[in-house]
Amino acid sequence: MIVWLNGTFGAGKTTAAQELLDLLPGSTLYDPELLGSGLRLMLPAKRFEEIDDYQDLPAWRRLVVDTAAALLTEVPGPLITPMTLLRQEYRDEIFGALAARRIPVRHVLLHAEETILRARIAHRADAAEDTEAAEDTEATEAAASTRRWSLQHLGPYADALPWLQGDAHVVDTTRLTPRQTAERVAEAVRTGAGACDIVQTPEPTAETLAAGVLLFDDQDRVLLVDPTYKAGWEFPGGIVERGEAPVHAGVREVAEELGIELPRAPRLLVLDWEAPKPPGFGGMRLLYDGGTLTDDRISKLLLPGSELREWRFVTETEAEKMLPPVRWNRLRWALRAREQGCPLHLEAGVPVG
């Protein structure tokens, strides 16, 4: 299990994590920031000039999961992870990959109001400057830089607060000591608070066959869904199970994900071979035309909270901004196939034959 202590700078994550080690038997401190420091030493400097934060590196997000899985083979108890995580798509990617490895997560948000956070950041920086001023001017400048950097993150934290409060168990640290904060977290862990109920989709070990279904409203907008277990928007659908017909898999997934029973087998629009791109294995992807939904059926759409967070009907232009390039390209050709009434065969997103 991972106890993920989220929150911005000044919330008390590091001090609470140290106290929590005494309260959760067998627990181990797991700091993913060390992975970012390691990548900074190994990757070309130019790569870091292209990003704002090491969390933007796909390699870092993958290493967070792989390292956690490796550590849990070496230690008996939970991993205590004091790590700010403000981008919801990164939360989906990391927590979803942990769920795929059957690693449960307790997501706890340590929160304090902005005035308290600013005071704590200022106090920490002032203490560091007083200690180092007489000895090292460079260290003093570094402390001031850390202070500015911490304050700059208060805005993004405020923006992320709505989804954080909906996803995590919140502990208000305003009037708590680090020990009291840790005690609140330990009690939350014992009672199951902060558990992330994410669908467990095992990571593929070989090429896969997947079936998606496009559903439309009366304005010919296409339905996209937002999974909780991976970053980015997607089409309704999923992996075809062993021995299952692809079209039946698409119908089954639509029923399971949205509560919609399609009256007939949907028509094939696109068959696309997706090239392997490590760490992905690629495979065959099929998109079907599920037809137009009436307003009445749309009003009855259901979302399984452990799998999907949101649904939305979008235009082709809007979909381009929401989908990863490979999915967008597949949708683009599927819409052309729908217009022409003839399915298309793609290889790596390019029509063939």
Side-chain angles (χ1 to χ4, degrees):
M1 180 176 68
I2 292 182
V3 180
W4 194 291
L5 301 182
N6 208 343
T8 192
F9 305 94
K13 301 185 302 297
T14 301
T15 52
Q18 293 291 344
E19 295 285 351
L20 199 55
L21 293 174
D22 293 335
L23 300 175
L24 296 180
S27 58
T28 299
L29 185 65
Y30 171 38
D31 185 1
E33 188 171 344
L34 298 175
L35 303 176
S37 300
L39 287 172
R40 190 175 294 278
L41 293 174
M42 291 182 282
L43 289 176
K46 184 177 182 299
R47 182 68 181 98
F48 280 86
E49 295 172 0
E50 301 169 347
I51 60 174
D52 296 324
D53 190 290
Y54 60 74
Q55 292 193 8
D56 297 330
L57 292 169
W60 179 83
R61 301 192 297 274
R62 183 170 181 83
L63 279 173
V64 169
V65 177
D66 291 344
T67 306
L71 282 174
L72 286 170
T73 66
E74 303 286 349
V75 297
L79 301 181
I80 311 301
T81 305
M83 188 76 223
T84 301
L85 192 61
L86 301 183
R87 294 187 59 170
Q88 193 171 30
E89 64 269 31
Y90 293 171
R91 172 269 186 216
D92 294 347
E93 182 178 344
I94 294 171
F95 287 13
L98 290 167
R101 291 171 177 259
R102 305 294 192 269
I103 301 173
V105 178
R106 299 287 185 269
H107 190 194
V108 180
L109 175 66
L110 304 187
H111 172 71
E113 295 302 322
E114 183 174 333
T115 53
I116 301 299
L117 294 171
R118 287 183 176 276
R120 290 176 180 175
I121 292 170
H123 176 74
R124 183 185 303 172
D126 290 344
E129 290 173 1
D130 290 344
T131 301
E132 297 162 351
E135 303 174 359
D136 192 339
T137 303
E138 184 176 333
T140 302
E141 292 174 353
S145 177
T146 299
R147 176 180 181 174
R148 289 192 299 270
W149 192 78
S150 300
L151 291 172
Q152 288 170 359
H153 281 72
L154 293 180
Y157 173 67
D159 293 339
L161 199 53
W163 80 259
L164 284 171
Q165 290 176 322
D167 191 78
H169 174 74
V170 181
V171 174
D172 190 333
T173 67
T174 301
R175 295 177 175 82
L176 300 180
T177 65
R179 185 69 178 191
Q180 290 171 331
T181 299
E183 289 170 350
R184 298 281 182 90
V185 174
E187 180 60 23
V189 171
R190 281 191 288 269
T191 59
C196 292
D197 185 21
I198 305 175
V199 64
Q200 296 183 341
T201 54
E203 292 186 343
T205 57
E207 291 185 351
T208 53
L209 175 62
V213 179
L214 301 185
L215 300 164
F216 301 86
D217 66 3
D218 58 8
Q219 299 178 50
D220 255 2
R221 296 179 301 177
V222 66
L223 179 69
L224 299 182
V225 293
D226 183 14
T228 60
Y229 57 91
K230 63 179 177 180
W233 290 76
E234 181 59 281
F235 319 114
I239 299 297
V240 179
E241 297 178 355
R242 183 180 296 275
E244 184 179 30
V247 69
H248 292 165
V251 171
R252 171 181 55 77
E253 288 285 352
V254 167
E256 292 176 356
E257 293 181 353
L258 301 171
I260 293 178
E261 299 287 345
L262 296 178
R264 63 185 66 87
R267 180 169 57 95
L268 179 66
L269 294 175
V270 158
L271 183 153
D272 185 16
W273 174 76
E274 184 176 304
K277 183 180 179 182
F281 291 90
M284 198 68 73
R285 310 290 181 250
L286 295 88
L287 277 183
Y288 294 92
D289 184 357
T292 301
L293 300 179
T294 64
D295 289 343
D296 180 61
R297 297 184 77 190
I298 292 173
S299 68
K300 296 177 182 177
L301 285 175
L302 302 175
L303 289 181
S306 63
E307 188 167 358
L308 300 177
R309 178 181 293 112
E310 187 179 353
W311 58 266
R312 188 182 303 175
F313 283 100
V314 299
T315 64
E316 184 174 348
T317 301
E318 290 169 335
E320 183 177 10
K321 300 175 183 177
M322 298 167 65
L323 292 171
V326 65
R327 292 179 207 154
W328 152 245
N329 196 50
R330 192 173 299 137
L331 172 65
R332 179 170 65 93
W333 286 112
L335 295 178
R336 302 292 84 77
R338 187 171 186 254
E339 293 171 356
Q340 298 166 11
C342 181
L344 290 174
H345 177 202
L346 313 178
E347 288 187 0
V350 179
V352 297

